[in-house]
Amino acid sequence: MLGMPPSNASAVAGPSPPTPANHTGTAAVEACNATRPASDPTAAGLTMTLGILFNVVALVILAKAYNRFRRRSKATFLLLASSLVATDLAGHVIPGALVLRRYSAGAGFLGDPERPDASCLLLGGCMVFFGLCPLFLGCAMAAERCLGVARPLLHARLVTTARTKMALALIWLLALGVALLPYFGLGAYTYQFPWTWCFIRVTGGAGAADLAFVLLFSALAFGSLALAFLCNTVSGCTLVRARIKKRSRSQRSSARSHDTEMVVQLVGIMITSCICWSPLLVFALMSVSRSYGDPAFGAGDAYRGLMVTGVRMATCNQILDPWVYILLRRAVLKKIYRLTKRQAGLKGSVLRSIRWDVGSFQNSEKNSVTKT
């Protein structure tokens, strides 16, 4: 989603001078300047570059696969997967460019956390939009495969390319609608420590609107993960039951193998999303709940550090998503299996030859003793 600074980038530059009583309005600005990040954009640029590279590679592989399976049931899955990777790619380019722009400001003033500028509002909206879209798309992919595995005839009748594209448009519009809610008074975007990224206001006296917005964002995210888990569980149980009962024929076995490949990829995407997004969602809920009950809450470094850790892990989701698809393809898994089997065979042959040499040596020793 965006490149975050390294841990030493949030070090305090030095104690700020005491704020006079008649300048209390600038306390937040001085606090921001006192904890401004270093101007080295290496970590942010490296994260952005790796994310773009991995997603472009995955898009090329998906495009080739889509051309090969255009008229099969896998085409819908590949279209959704391509949309997921393309969204992850945009989620690296747009927010990453905004973060690098913050770094380009150098060691000077980066922004007032109480009065976010237009770039901060845009970055906060991108954080929410590009955060929800992959979760919604992963849920849609799991639901599509669940229908295709459990009810293949209904899937063939209902799921078409046109309807899939319409569902994609609705997913993007839903995520965009949620991201635009702070512009209409529900919640607010503000600078987050160490002032190089923006997100929903979760500290510093969050109000009822901020609490409602965080609850909505977290509920949609966790709901998508829960629905994806349910659909993947149904798909996996259906495939296992079909394999145990051996109802598949030769033609159907090929389709089942494709279904198994797609379900394995979906489980990998779901696990990656859960691991990467759960910390940020939990930390945001913890912070906004404390801040809503205590307006003075938010100055502690502990919660600031938790939020930074959460957004770093969420950023990793968009780097790992393409690798989940690339590494869990059937062709790659077959190569890994063959290499493992070959290595095991080589080890077995070496052990057998060693045992044969030892046995032959012992036999020769016995023969020589008998002769003497």
Side-chain angles (χ1 to χ4, degrees):
M1 187 182 302
L2 55 89
M4 294 300 299
S7 57
N8 61 356
S10 58
V12 176
S16 58
T19 305
N22 59 347
H23 291 86
T24 54
T26 62
V29 178
E30 293 185 1
C32 177
N33 282 326
T35 56
R36 62 179 179 269
S39 58
D40 183 12
T42 303
L46 180 61
T47 304
M48 179 178 173
T49 303
L50 289 177
I52 293 173
L53 178 62
F54 296 158
N55 282 282
V56 168
V57 172
L59 271 178
V60 172
I61 296 174
L62 282 165
K64 292 181 179 179
Y66 183 75
N67 289 330
R68 191 166 66 251
F69 295 99
R70 184 183 296 272
R71 296 185 179 180
R72 301 186 188 180
S73 61
K74 193 176 180 180
T76 304
F77 175 84
L78 292 173
L79 180 59
L80 291 171
S82 301
S83 302
L84 172 62
V85 175
T87 304
D88 286 339
L89 177 61
H92 276 288
V93 174
I94 300 176
L98 293 173
V99 170
L100 290 178
R101 182 177 178 274
R102 305 308 305 173
Y103 277 104
S104 66
F109 175 71
L110 293 180
D112 184 355
E114 299 300 325
R115 296 180 180 83
D117 55 10
S119 65
C120 177
L121 298 178
L122 179 60
L123 179 56
C126 288
M127 287 284 294
V128 173
F129 176 79
F130 290 113
L132 289 177
C133 275
L135 300 178
F136 289 166
L137 289 171
C139 179
M141 292 166 66
E144 186 270 336
R145 269 303 85 203
C146 181
L147 184 62
V149 171
R151 295 290 185 270
L153 296 179
L154 183 62
H155 177 274
R157 187 168 68 251
L158 293 181
V159 180
T160 62
T161 302
R163 289 175 178 173
T164 303
K165 293 179 179 179
M166 187 180 301
L168 287 172
L170 290 175
I171 287 173
W172 286 323
L173 285 175
L174 175 60
L176 180 62
V178 175
L180 291 177
L181 286 177
Y183 294 92
F184 297 96
L186 183 61
Y189 296 126
T190 184
Y191 286 100
Q192 304 287 331
F193 182 84
W195 325 124
T196 55
W197 63 292
C198 295
F199 193 55
I200 309 168
R201 185 195 303 276
V202 295
T203 58
D210 300 308
L211 177 62
F213 188 41
V214 174
L215 289 174
L216 175 64
F217 177 76
S218 301
L220 290 173
F222 280 128
S224 300
L225 293 173
L227 185 57
F229 175 79
L230 177 63
C231 293
N232 289 329
T233 301
V234 173
S235 301
C237 292
T238 303
L239 290 173
V240 170
R241 189 164 56 246
R243 188 175 185 85
I244 292 175
K245 293 181 178 180
K246 296 182 179 179
R247 293 177 178 176
S248 312
R249 297 181 180 179
S250 59
Q251 294 180 352
R252 192 62 191 157
S253 62
S254 175
R256 287 297 181 188
S257 87
H258 283 299
D259 288 336
T260 303
E261 177 189 17
M262 289 184 281
V263 171
V264 168
Q265 291 170 349
L266 286 173
V267 170
I269 291 173
M270 180 192 67
I271 293 175
T272 302
S273 299
C274 286
I275 294 174
C276 293
W277 271 100
S278 294
L280 179 61
L281 298 174
V282 172
F283 296 156
L285 286 172
M286 291 169 54
S287 299
V288 76
S289 300
R290 290 284 305 275
S291 181
Y292 180 68
D294 181 10
F297 171 77
D301 291 337
Y303 278 87
R304 287 175 171 177
L306 289 177
M307 288 298 295
V308 172
T309 301
V311 76
R312 285 174 181 165
M313 293 186 67
T315 303
C316 292
N317 184 45
Q318 294 167 318
I319 299 177
L320 296 176
D321 272 346
W323 277 108
V324 170
Y325 176 79
I326 292 172
L327 295 179
L328 294 183
R329 289 180 300 141
R330 187 172 53 170
V332 176
L333 293 177
K334 280 184 176 180
K335 290 181 180 178
I336 295 174
Y337 172 74
R338 289 172 183 171
L339 288 174
T340 305
K341 188 176 180 181
R342 186 181 305 170
Q343 293 294 329
L346 288 175
K347 290 180 180 179
S349 63
V350 170
L351 290 175
R352 283 194 299 269
S353 63
I354 292 175
R355 284 197 294 266
W356 184 85
D357 291 338
V358 172
S360 61
F361 175 75
Q362 291 176 347
N363 291 333
S364 61
E365 288 290 325
K366 289 180 181 178
N367 293 335
S368 62
V369 169
T370 302
K371 289 180 181 179
T372 55

